Amino acid sequence: MSVIQDQYGRTFRTLRVSLLNHCNLGCVYCVAGDSEVKAANTMHSSLPVPELLAIIRRLHEQLGLSTIRLTGGEPLLFQGLTELISGVREMGISSIKLTTNGFLLERLAMPMKQAGMRSINVSLDAVDEDVFYQMSRRHAVDRVIRGIDKALEAGLEVKINSVVMRGINEGQIIPLLEFAFSRHCRIRLLEVMAMGHLHDQAGRYLFSQEEMLAVIAGRYSFKPLGRAGSATASYWQTDDGHQFGVIANETAPFCGDCDRLRLDSSGHIYGCLSSNHPILLDKEEDEGIWTKKLQQALLQKQTLRFTGSDLSMLHIGG
Ligand code: SAM
């Protein structure tokens, strides 16, 4: 195993794999107009399972990964998902997680659990059907909730992620918390990030951590729990014992201890969400070249501020 570390002591321990860059929703923070939604909903090619497993295995050998998160695009659309999960499990990477919009979860929760998945994040930006549609451009809230219930029934740990956008869904903060608390799930509210088509205008939609806490304080009393090292969310606990988190990329960035490496669906790595400089990993190259490429990716990490990039999370993986 080679030691890859930057001057701030950061290294890569978590790998986020974007399995494909298409999706069955068209969320407003990922895609802009009709043509982009159409492109996002169109099937594109992605790496086959054996090739993906070979890349992940080599990265694990070089980095000693502790966590893999499968994402996309929408990872539940990936052909061979359960085979991939079992393959990663066999490598001895104990923490294997996935982020999904939940649209196909009702059917896939149990097979994923049986393949070795333990924990999933489900993106749910509203529990009101109309607001859900405004955020995702699809009428699917009941279906996603059925998926969440199925996943809980299957024994998966479920966390809810909700992006809060000013003028669209900030009125859903309390209903989302109530929903998550009713299912005993942790929920994290995300500040909208300056990614993709929002790169220059995320500020317009930004509903800050401070504003979210002020809304929550109108309904609950809570105390801070802080943020664990290299985690994305800070947590609070309500007086009746429910926990919620905020991922405040914009107003309280946490780049200083970031340990995430990203792999996209064509075999490129990125050391930072804010870098639109893909580095292609070629399976013919030897370990020395991969080490240099990983060092190059590590240099992409930012230090003080999250700047984002014009690459949508649909491609780099959320
Ligand atoms: N399709 C899956 C899903 O919806 O969970 C996984 C991929 S999606 C890109 C993952 C998550 O990235 C979204 O649900 C959202 O939480 C986050 N995301 C994407 N673009 C974002 C943005 N501009 N600001 C904040 N979060 C964003």
Side-chain angles (χ1 to χ4, degrees):
M1 201 186 301
S2 33
V3 179
I4 294 163
Q5 204 173 61
D6 72 6
Q7 56 172 318
Y8 305 100
R10 294 178 297 189
T11 184
F12 294 127
R13 286 273 179 262
T14 299
L15 178 67
R16 293 203 176 193
V17 186
S18 177
L19 297 181
L20 32 66
N21 60 5
H22 55 273
C23 189
N24 35 17
L25 301 186
C27 297
V28 288
Y29 38 77
C30 260
V31 280
D34 288 349
S35 61
E36 268 198 44
V37 175
K38 204 168 164 206
N41 291 166
T42 305
M43 199 92 141
H44 305 280
S45 65
S46 44
L47 293 174
V49 173
E51 226 169 287
L52 256 178
L53 285 174
I55 297 176
I56 296 171
R57 185 172 297 108
R58 275 189 69 177
L59 287 173
H60 181 44
E61 281 162 9
Q62 287 200 249
L63 299 166
L65 297 169
S66 59
T67 304
I68 293 242
R69 177 172 296 283
L70 306 177
T71 179
E74 173 47 42
L76 299 193
L77 289 169
F78 182 74
Q79 298 298 315
L81 180 64
T82 51
E83 197 190 327
L84 183 74
I85 295 169
S86 311
V88 171
R89 182 110 246 146
E90 280 161 21
M91 286 176 210
I93 303 173
S94 56
S95 179
I96 166 157
K97 303 177 177 182
L98 175 138
T99 301
T100 173
N101 60 32
F103 193 76
L104 298 172
L105 192 54
E106 202 176 359
R107 178 158 56 83
L108 289 171
M110 188 52 93
M112 279 201 290
K113 178 71 176 35
Q114 285 165 345
M117 180 65 63
R118 298 232 173 103
S119 173
I120 61 171
N121 289 352
V122 181
S123 303
L124 177 70
D125 303 323
V127 288
D128 174 89
E129 175 62 41
D130 293 337
V131 185
F132 183 94
Y133 181 80
Q134 281 177 53
M135 290 296 285
S136 68
R137 299 186 176 98
R138 197 142 184 183
H139 290 288
V141 71
D142 291 343
R143 185 173 168 148
V144 174
I145 290 174
R146 282 201 306 276
I148 290 172
D149 286 338
K150 193 68 176 193
L152 290 168
E153 218 179 287
L156 287 165
E157 182 201 17
V158 177
K159 285 191 224 140
I160 314 269
N161 281 349
S162 312
V163 179
V164 181
M165 290 180 79
R166 179 181 303 284
I168 311 184
N169 70 334
E170 74 266 41
Q172 288 290 292
I173 293 175
I174 298 299
L176 281 163
L177 256 62
E178 282 171 348
F179 169 76
F181 295 168
S182 76
R183 301 310 199 263
H184 304 285
C185 293
R186 276 193 175 196
I187 177 165
R188 288 101 55 87
L189 304 170
L190 279 78
E191 287 181 353
V192 69
M193 294 180 231
M195 296 296 295
H197 73 101
L198 293 181
H199 189 212
D200 297 322
Q201 44 162 342
R204 216 173 108 194
Y205 296 105
L206 179 67
F207 198 79
S208 67
Q209 167 169 277
E210 201 183 331
E211 291 172 295
M212 293 181 203
L213 293 177
V215 169
I216 299 168
R219 172 76 169 75
Y220 298 100
S221 302
F222 51 82
K223 62 171 188 212
L225 298 177
R227 183 178 73 89
S230 79
T232 52
S234 297
Y235 280 96
W236 286 263
Q237 183 166 307
T238 64
D239 282 355
D240 46 0
H242 296 296
Q243 290 184 6
F244 64 90
V246 179
I247 302 182
N249 256 73
E250 299 289 328
T251 64
F254 35 83
C255 307
D257 56 10
C258 174
D259 71 352
R260 286 170 282 285
L261 173 69
R262 289 165 194 276
L263 174 69
D264 75 9
S265 57
S266 341
H268 300 92
I269 51 168
Y270 304 76
C272 180
L273 259 190
S274 294
S275 166
N276 188 0
H277 296 288
I279 301 168
L280 184 63
L281 290 180
D282 181 341
K283 61 177 186 295
E284 307 303 329
E285 291 165 344
D286 65 23
E287 186 177 331
I289 298 183
W290 276 40
T291 301
K292 282 206 183 85
K293 289 187 172 180
L294 287 165
Q295 276 159 344
Q296 201 185 328
L298 194 56
L299 287 175
Q300 293 176 342
K301 282 203 183 299
Q302 299 194 315
T303 46
L304 297 174
R305 208 179 137 249
F306 176 83
T307 56
S309 102
D310 52 9
L311 190 62
S312 165
M313 301 262 269
L314 183 70
H315 301 287
I316 195 170

